[in-house]
Amino acid sequence: MARGKVQMRRIENATSRQVTFSKRRTGLLKKAYELSVLCDAEVAVIIFSQKGRLYEFSSNSEIRKTIDRYCRSTNDAAIYQACMEQYILRLKQETTDMERKIELLEVSLRKLSGQCLGSCSMDEIQEIGDQLERSLSSIRERKAQLLNDQIQQLQAKERSLKEENAKLLAKKNLWTSLDWKDSGILSLATCQD
């Protein structure tokens, strides 16, 4: 015969409550022992009855060692949690700062492109104009530098091609003179025969 599902609420009858406590306590301590043996786990169970009586189980010889280990572990976890919270706060602050900088850069870009100038004062417009002139000057300098570099590369290539052309002309002249000598030698040889 199957047992019905037990409702999780306080047992009103004191005798039934004591019997249930005793049976469940024994079962819990047995399970803790089995867990420690089967899984080689460090297990500690502390139970106080309604009347304040202490029941305990420890897989170590002393429950105090397990409790100390637990305290160290929770302290480490608390320190880790505090560090993570500080890290998250710092990331949130950096995100806020970056959003603010992005917004300022977008406003500056809009102003530099000629948008949103209606709210600018004369000084701001003058500053934007000066900044655009500096940027244009810098762009022109860079463009001139790139063009000069390209001209120098092309001039070096031209010199190289001229030298190669001169070498080829010298070879051609050498071959032409050899052909003339060969044809002269052949004509002399035919005349002598």
Side-chain angles (χ1 to χ4, degrees):
M1 182 174 194
R3 288 186 291 174
K5 185 174 180 180
V6 178
Q7 292 182 354
M8 284 294 129
R9 60 183 172 89
R10 184 176 186 269
I11 299 172
E12 296 299 326
N13 185 332
T15 306
S16 296
R17 186 170 53 242
Q18 182 59 38
V19 170
T20 302
F21 173 78
S22 178
K23 287 181 181 180
R24 291 195 176 227
R25 180 197 71 226
T26 305
L28 180 62
L29 295 176
K30 181 180 175 186
K31 290 290 183 185
Y33 170 75
E34 291 172 356
L35 181 64
S36 70
V37 171
L38 294 174
C39 301
D40 194 28
E42 185 176 346
V43 179
V45 178
I46 301 172
I47 303 170
F48 288 99
S49 70
Q50 183 180 13
K51 294 179 181 178
R53 187 164 179 200
L54 171 67
Y55 302 92
E56 63 182 52
F57 168 80
S58 176
S59 58
N60 281 345
S61 58
E62 295 180 32
I63 197 167
R64 171 58 51 200
K65 290 180 182 177
T66 305
I67 292 172
D68 289 342
R69 183 175 176 191
Y70 170 77
C71 290
R72 283 192 310 273
S73 176
T74 55
N75 284 342
D76 290 347
I79 290 169
Y80 175 77
Q81 180 68 25
C83 289
M84 286 305 294
E85 287 174 2
Q86 288 177 351
Y87 179 69
I88 289 170
L89 286 174
R90 191 171 71 240
L91 286 178
K92 285 181 180 179
Q93 183 63 41
E94 287 178 11
T95 303
T96 304
D97 292 344
M98 291 301 286
E99 287 173 349
R100 196 175 312 120
K101 287 178 183 178
I102 289 170
E103 179 63 28
L104 290 173
L105 288 172
E106 286 175 347
V107 169
S108 177
L109 181 62
R110 283 194 297 269
K111 287 179 180 179
L112 287 173
S113 64
Q115 302 170 357
C116 303
L117 294 176
S119 63
C120 294
S121 67
M122 186 63 180
D123 291 338
E124 288 176 322
I125 291 176
Q126 183 63 41
E127 185 179 326
I128 291 170
D130 293 343
Q131 187 176 0
L132 285 171
E133 286 178 15
R134 287 190 302 270
S135 296
L136 189 58
S137 174
S138 176
I139 291 168
R140 285 182 180 150
E141 286 176 13
R142 179 65 180 147
K143 182 179 176 183
Q145 179 65 40
L146 290 173
L147 288 174
N148 284 335
D149 291 347
Q150 193 174 18
I151 288 169
Q152 289 175 358
Q153 289 173 356
L154 290 173
Q155 287 173 344
K157 190 174 182 180
E158 179 187 20
R159 282 191 298 274
S160 173
L161 289 173
K162 282 182 178 180
E163 290 172 5
E164 190 176 334
N165 193 21
K167 288 178 185 177
L168 289 173
L169 280 174
K171 283 184 181 181
K172 179 185 173 209
N173 291 338
L174 179 65
W175 282 105
T176 306
S177 66
L178 286 177
D179 283 344
W180 178 76
K181 288 180 184 177
D182 287 342
S183 63
I185 293 172
L186 285 176
S187 60
L188 285 175
T190 54
C191 291
Q192 292 175 358
D193 289 336

